[in-house]
């Protein structure tokens, strides 16, 4: 359902924002992009934004995998 997809997207964006803040980056909610503290609109800023996005994306992926593993373990434990 469309509302569920919107809720999931919002939850993922919130997770990215939290991770970005923890790492000292900015999360631009208008563009849904991670921004480094380098001057924006410069080549250096663009390059550092890519690196920041990769770092945040990697951590978000790890957290999502951990959450999935926990759900699977709980489901498996409830069957036994």
């Amino acid at each position: 359902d469309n509302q569920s997809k919107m809720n999931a997207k919002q939850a993922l964006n919130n997770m990215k924002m939290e991770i970005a803040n923890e790492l000292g980056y900015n999360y631009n909610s208008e563009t849904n992009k991670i921004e480094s503290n380098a001057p924006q609109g410069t080549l250096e800023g663009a390059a550092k934004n890519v690196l920041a996005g990769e770092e945040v994306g990697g951590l978000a992926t790890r957290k999502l995998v951990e959450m999935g593993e926990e759900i699977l373990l709980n489901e498996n434990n409830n069957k036994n």
Side-chain angles (χ1 to χ4, degrees):
D1 126 349
N2 200 29
Q3 185 62 40
S4 294
K5 287 180 184 177
M6 289 176 57
N7 290 343
K9 186 170 181 74
Q10 183 62 44
L12 285 172
N13 286 340
N14 287 343
M15 178 186 280
K16 288 191 292 187
M17 181 175 59
E18 289 173 12
I19 293 170
N21 288 335
E22 288 172 12
L23 295 173
Y25 300 127
N26 301 313
Y27 177 75
N28 186 328
S29 59
E30 291 179 18
T31 62
N32 292 326
K33 299 207 184 263
I34 308 301
E35 297 175 346
S36 69
N37 294 320
Q40 299 302 302
T42 66
L43 185 57
E44 177 191 12
K48 289 191 176 183
N49 288 349
V50 169
L51 295 175
E54 287 177 354
E55 188 175 3
V56 170
L59 281 173
T61 300
R62 275 186 235 128
K63 284 188 176 193
L64 290 170
V65 168
E66 288 172 3
M67 291 167 64
E69 287 174 341
E70 188 174 317
I71 290 169
L72 290 173
L73 286 172
N74 287 337
E75 286 178 359
N76 192 31
N77 287 339
N78 289 337
K79 290 180 183 177
N80 295 331

